[in-house]
Amino acid sequence: MSTEVISMREPDEATVSERMLLSSGRYVSFGPFRIDQQRQEVSRDGSRLKLQGKVYQILLTLLEKPGEVVTREELRMRLWPADTHVNYDANVNTTVNKLRQALGDSSDKPLYIETIPRKGYCLLVQPEVSDKAPHPHFVPNGHSADSAAETSRNSGVFTFTKSDVWIVLGVIGLILVGMLLGAGITRLWISHAAPTVPRALTMIFSSPSAATFF
């Protein structure tokens, strides 16, 4: 008489070996993407991405087995209980496409997620796991570095780049050149106009009408 052993593992749970990579640190990074597992947040260059729960779970599943094929059955067991009545293939495809869209990836020319025909999917990059935030501009509350810079500008702190300095110097130079040209033209006009003034006064005072008047 054989004894049938039924696994009590939930579909969304992973084995210890599968979890070994991601459990070794809080932060997971690949390419420009950073994952805070404690906060369950994904960001790209400091800007938070909005991933739905199942999309996030598929990303973690792929990250747990980089370079290996993750079958559709594995994704189904991870995302949907066995008694769930859904079109698994369609739902897996839709969820993976949402993940690709969030990552800016393409199925035709994949950078991160490759489709393995009739099998599943494969993560093309090797993630890095660390207990320290891997990006200096990573902001835990989801605000990007640009938002932080905008906040500093609103608080009255201004920063100038080298290009801004050259622009200011160029404007000042143009103003000085304009002032010098204006001064030179004014002096030239005065030098040409001054000799004609005495001659005009002489003609006025030497005329008979002027003598009669006086």
Side-chain angles (χ1 to χ4, degrees):
M1 180 177 179
S2 61
T3 303
E4 182 180 1
V5 179
I6 301 177
S7 174
M8 300 300 294
R9 173 189 166 197
E10 294 295 331
D12 59 345
E13 294 179 354
T15 62
V16 176
S17 60
E18 289 174 340
R19 286 289 188 182
M20 187 62 67
L21 173 64
L22 301 186
S23 63
S24 61
R26 171 178 174 177
Y27 300 99
V28 183
S29 62
F30 64 98
F33 301 98
R34 306 292 181 266
I35 301 173
D36 186 340
Q37 297 189 88
Q38 180 176 332
R39 301 175 65 93
Q40 294 187 355
E41 293 177 354
V42 182
S43 63
R44 177 171 186 164
D45 295 328
S47 300
R48 185 190 299 179
L49 302 179
K50 295 182 180 180
L51 298 185
Q52 298 176 356
K54 294 187 183 302
V55 177
Y56 178 77
Q57 290 299 323
I58 280 189
L59 176 59
L60 290 184
T61 305
L62 294 172
L63 289 170
E64 289 166 358
K65 301 175 66 175
E68 300 181 21
V69 178
V70 178
T71 65
R72 293 175 178 272
E73 181 64 17
E74 290 181 73
L75 295 177
R76 184 198 67 77
M77 293 178 60
R78 182 72 174 267
L79 301 179
W80 293 281
D83 57 350
T84 303
H85 300 287
V86 297
N87 188 337
Y88 297 119
D89 287 336
N91 279 274
V92 168
N93 292 338
T94 300
T95 308
V96 172
N97 287 335
K98 288 182 179 180
L99 176 59
R100 279 191 173 123
Q101 184 177 4
L103 300 180
D105 202 5
S106 170
S107 59
D108 298 329
K109 297 180 179 179
L111 297 175
Y112 307 107
I113 303 173
E114 180 183 6
T115 300
I116 308 300
R118 296 183 296 278
K119 291 184 179 181
Y121 304 92
C122 177
L123 185 69
L124 299 178
V125 295
Q126 182 68 34
E128 297 180 358
V129 184
S130 174
D131 286 326
K132 297 182 180 180
H135 199 287
H137 299 292
F138 180 82
V139 183
N141 61 6
H143 296 290
S144 63
D146 294 336
S147 299
E150 182 67 23
T151 302
S152 65
R153 287 194 295 269
N154 293 336
S155 62
V157 180
F158 297 94
T159 58
F160 294 93
T161 62
K162 291 183 178 181
S163 60
D164 295 332
V165 174
W166 283 112
I167 291 174
V168 172
L169 293 177
V171 172
I172 294 175
L174 290 175
I175 293 175
L176 292 177
V177 171
M179 292 175 63
L180 292 175
L181 288 176
I185 293 173
T186 302
R187 291 184 60 184
L188 182 62
W189 180 82
I190 292 175
S191 63
H192 283 285
T196 62
V197 174
R199 289 198 297 271
L201 292 176
T202 302
M203 292 176 63
I204 292 173
F205 287 108
S206 63
S207 64
S209 59
T212 303
F213 176 77
F214 288 103

